[in-house]
Structure formats: structure tokens, C-alpha cells
Amino acid sequence: MAIKSALRAATALCLISAVSVQADTITIATVNNGDMIRMQGLTDDFTSKTGHTVEWVTLEENVLRQRVTTDITTKGGQFDIMTIGMYETPIWAANGWLVALDDLSADYDAGDILPAMAGGLSYDGTMFAAPFYGESSMIMYRTDLMEAAGLEMPTAPTWDFIKDAAVAMTDKDAGVYGICLRGKAGWGENMAFLTATSNAFGARWFDENWTPQFDSDAWSETLNFYIDLMNEAGPPGASNNGFNENLSLFQQGKCGMWIDATVAASFVTNPNDSTVFDKVGFALAPNTGKGKNSNWLWAWALGIPAGTDNEGAAKEFIEWATSKDYIELVAANEGWANVPPGARQSLYDNPEYQKVPFAQMTLDSILSADPNNPTVDPVPYVGVQFAAIPEFAGIASEVGQEFSAALAGQQTAAEALEKAQALTVDAMEAAGY
């Protein structure tokens, strides 16, 4: 009996040691969007199931992009998981900088991920980042202000309608502006919006020979339309406004319309945060009749940098955070309207989620974006609101500064486009295109 007791004690000690060895602390870099903040609040569920603990580095969007790019290109090793998107994932995977996610468990059901999301987060047929949520962009608008203006929002409006409606809804004396759009400089801020918008106007970043196109009539029409619209019906200081700033304005009732990420729908309809939660309608992003809408395609996703010492724990976290069970966890705690959208087909097949007023419009927007054919005229690149080449982020960040300065009145649209053309030509020539 003494021998058996000793064996049991030794076995128990081994099990405890095994658990302690397997319990890791992982560091995750993420963006300060509402869904990510919500995920942090639910992390105890992950820790209770796995024993792993999480340290968060939560950053504004532009800062996040800079930090994770610097870390992965220099092999800094600061993070075990990075929040990245459809632009970075295939480029970084091709360079061998990310861990392949081709061995996730059967229960995870990778086949349930929407093809648009899985495809955009893959390289050579293998997924290298898992979508936490997927998004396109769409119009969110005040139904009461639209009705007061004597207008009815079409399901697929034109930009001309949007401009007329924005002007009609603007009451600057009351602090209400007909439209709020991104103006903050950044390749993922104002340039995401303006590149997607330019597609509808017939513009493109490059022609088939990789020649920059900012000197085209289509880009001139795009930028001038945007600046004129914002000057007439936008809020003051719009050149400083990105996603979070416009979200706050809309929730405070200061925007008649906001064209931005579909994921924002749950925030503007949340009665705890939005003063207009019960007065919001949704429509597809605008077009100009040329066959393309102004909506983008994106996923905020979780990827693992190659070389991390905590690859196993990092994969466990990704499975937890991007799983069907996580969606159920959020629904149980916060309601179906607040689950991370746009990543899994099963969510849109769920009768409970189908009751959410923006669910179908989100899916329709995602499905209408075509990264392989994003523009009216042919292009040599893939990507709706970006061109999937390594040089794009740097170039677009500089172009974004010029366009933001034009919106702020510091230069004309023509001057901004001339500078954008020159700097893009120089960058592409230096890169060997």
C-alpha cells in the first residue's frame, strides 16, 4: 500500500509539473477597436480552459501597424500573436515570417470560415492568420434625419444621392453634419476609404504596366468630390478623424451618415453607447453607375510570428478567439448583435443572428467586394482598398498625408494629386517596377 501511495503521489506530481510546464504567458498586440476590447474582457475564459495567461498591448490602428511591422521585419520577438489583416498576411507568409495555421483542430472547423476571408488570409493555399472578424464597409444613416429631409435611402445609392442627402441633413448651427468620413492620414485610415471610393469613380492605383495613375481624371474626380462633400456637409476638423473619432460623433447624434466598416453597426445600435441606437438604417456603399461600389474587404485577424517560443499556446488562443464557441460566449454575455461578424458562414445561417438588423447587409457588402477584380479598368494587383505589394503601405502612408492636408485646406486637391503621383513614381522606380 505504501508503494501504491508513493506511485500515486509521484504521478500527481508529474501531472502538476506537466500543467505548469504547459502554462505559458503570451503577449498579443491588437488594435483598440471595440471587438478587441470586448475580447480582452473575456480572456479569463481562455485562461480557465488552458492555464495560459495573456498580456495585451493595445494600440491605435496606425501605431499598431507600425509596431508589428517593425517587430516582425527585425525579428524583435516582442509578440506571440499579432493582429494583422489581409494586406500583411500573404506578403509576410511569402517571406516566411508567419506560422502556418494548417493544423488547427477538427472541432475548430476551418472550412466554416467564409471563403473571402480564408482566401485573403492565405498564401499558396494555406491560411496564415485566422479572422477574428471580417468586414466590408457600408452606409450607416440616421433614419429620422433622412425622413425629415423628405428622402428615402435606396438599397444601393449613388454618390450623387449621398451628396444631396448629406447637404439636406446638415444643420451646422445644431451641430449635426450630413456625413462623417475618414480624413486621418494612414494607409489603413483615409487611404482605405479613398481607395475603395476611387474604385467606384473608375480610378486605380496603377495601370497594367504598374504606372501610377494619380494624374488621371478619375482620381481628380474622386478627391475633389470627397473634399467638396466634406467641406459642405462634414464636421469641422475632419482631417483628424479616423474610425474611432467618427464612431463617437455618430453615437453622439452628430452625423447624418457615416460610411465605414460594417463592424461598426453593433456599436451605433448599442443602447448603452449610442444616443441614436434606434434610429439607424443601413445600405450598400455608394456607386457611380460604373459597376463598382465604394466598399472594401478586410479582416482583422490573428497571426503568429515565426520564431515565437510560445507557438503552441498561441495556436490555442487563436482557436479560442476565432471559434464558434467564442461567438456563443459573446452572444451569451452581450447579445447576438455584438458578436464578431463576417468570419464564419455558420453565423449567418444562425436563426438568432438573422434577426440582427444589419446582419444581411453586412454579408451582402462582404460578398459584393471582389479583391481579384476591384476596379473598373484592369489592374495588375489584388486588393480592394490596397494593392497587395510590399511597397504599398509606405507609399499610401505618404499619399494619405497629402490627401489629409488637402482636406484640411493646406493645399489644393490638384497639388495633393501631383505630389502623390511624383512620390509614387519615385517609389515604384526605386523598387524596380
Side-chain angles (χ1 to χ4, degrees):
M1 291 296 292
I3 294 174
K4 287 183 179 180
S5 297
L7 285 173
R8 282 196 296 269
T11 301
L13 182 62
C14 288
L15 288 172
I16 292 169
S17 298
V19 170
S20 65
V21 168
Q22 292 171 358
D24 297 314
T25 297
I26 55 176
T27 303
I28 303 176
T30 196
V31 66
N32 64 342
N33 288 353
D35 282 289
M36 276 64 175
I37 302 299
R38 184 177 290 126
M39 175 170 59
Q40 294 175 40
L42 296 170
T43 308
D44 286 348
D45 181 79
F46 168 73
T47 299
S48 68
K49 290 175 178 175
T50 65
H52 305 310
T53 54
V54 178
E55 292 183 354
W56 292 95
V57 178
T58 307
L59 303 165
E60 187 269 332
E61 185 170 325
N62 285 341
V63 178
L64 171 75
R65 295 183 196 280
Q66 293 166 359
R67 285 279 300 275
V68 298
T69 300
T70 299
D71 190 66
I72 204 161
T73 55
T74 61
K75 296 183 170 60
Q78 293 183 57
F79 309 114
D80 300 301
I81 295 175
M82 295 176 168
T83 303
I84 55 178
M86 290 183 168
Y87 169 68
E88 299 94 343
T89 301
I91 295 172
W92 292 3
N95 287 333
W97 295 345
L98 294 173
V99 174
L101 301 181
D102 54 357
D103 59 350
L104 301 178
S105 69
D107 289 343
Y108 178 74
D109 192 9
D112 182 48
I113 296 173
L114 289 170
M117 299 301 154
L121 297 169
S122 295
Y123 170 70
D124 200 21
T126 297
M127 197 165 71
F128 281 83
F132 179 67
Y133 67 73
E135 67 179 36
S136 183
S137 51
M138 65 182 178
I139 304 167
M140 293 158 279
Y141 67 95
R142 289 272 300 278
T143 54
D144 57 332
L145 295 182
M146 189 69 71
E147 183 179 355
L151 298 171
E152 184 175 344
M153 176 70 81
T155 302
T158 64
W159 270 112
D160 285 339
F161 174 87
I162 293 302
K163 185 172 185 178
D164 290 343
V167 171
M169 287 191 286
T170 297
D171 184 352
K172 293 184 179 181
D173 290 338
V176 176
Y177 303 91
I179 195 159
C180 293
L181 301 173
R182 296 189 187 195
K184 179 187 289 186
W187 75 261
E189 282 281 8
N190 66 338
M191 290 312 299
F193 174 80
L194 284 169
T195 299
T197 297
S198 76
N199 295 338
F201 280 83
R204 50 188 176 165
W205 265 77
F206 308 102
D207 67 10
E208 299 95 316
N209 299 314
W210 292 102
T211 303
Q213 297 294 294
F214 288 110
D215 57 356
S216 66
D217 290 342
W219 261 111
S220 178
E221 185 181 0
T222 301
L223 189 58
N224 278 289
F225 183 94
Y226 162 77
I227 292 172
D228 290 346
L229 173 60
M230 293 300 285
N231 284 339
E232 194 166 0
S239 61
N240 297 314
N241 293 346
F243 174 86
N244 284 326
E245 291 81 7
N246 284 324
L247 169 61
S248 178
L249 287 171
F250 195 96
Q251 288 176 325
Q252 293 172 43
K254 296 182 179 180
C255 302
M257 290 178 287
W258 179 30
I259 303 171
D260 213 298
T262 51
V263 72
S266 68
F267 306 134
V268 297
T269 57
N270 187 330
N272 296 322
D273 301 317
S274 176
T275 62
V276 295
F277 68 93
D278 57 346
K279 302 179 182 68
V280 185
F282 307 95
L284 292 173
N287 66 80
T288 66
K290 295 181 178 180
K292 297 294 179 181
N293 293 342
S294 298
N295 59 306
W296 63 65
L297 184 68
W298 185 253
W300 276 120
L302 303 178
I304 304 171
T308 175
D309 293 331
N310 296 316
E311 181 179 318
K315 284 184 177 178
E316 287 184 63
F317 183 87
I318 287 177
E319 286 211 23
W320 173 80
T322 66
S323 67
K324 296 177 186 178
D325 286 345
Y326 178 82
I327 291 174
E328 295 276 356
L329 177 65
V330 176
N333 281 273
E334 312 237 6
W336 281 102
N338 294 307
V339 304
R344 287 183 170 273
Q345 180 60 49
S346 57
L347 177 62
Y348 292 91
D349 294 338
N350 187 315
E352 290 301 314
Y353 194 65
Q354 289 171 2
K355 299 174 186 176
V356 173
F358 50 81
Q360 190 60 48
M361 186 59 69
T362 295
L363 184 61
D364 290 346
S365 297
I366 289 171
L367 296 178
S368 71
D370 184 356
N372 294 310
N373 299 284
T375 52
V376 174
D377 295 324
V379 291
Y381 54 86
V382 172
V384 180
Q385 76 278 23
F386 57 83
I389 57 173
E391 296 78 15
F392 177 82
I395 297 171
S397 294
E398 291 189 56
V399 173
Q401 294 283 354
E402 300 300 339
F403 288 179
S404 186
L407 177 60
Q410 297 166 2
Q411 61 184 346
T412 65
E415 290 169 336
L417 288 165
E418 184 179 355
K419 292 176 182 178
Q421 179 73 7
L423 69 87
T424 306
V425 167
D426 288 347
M428 294 299 281
E429 287 179 353
Y433 284 86

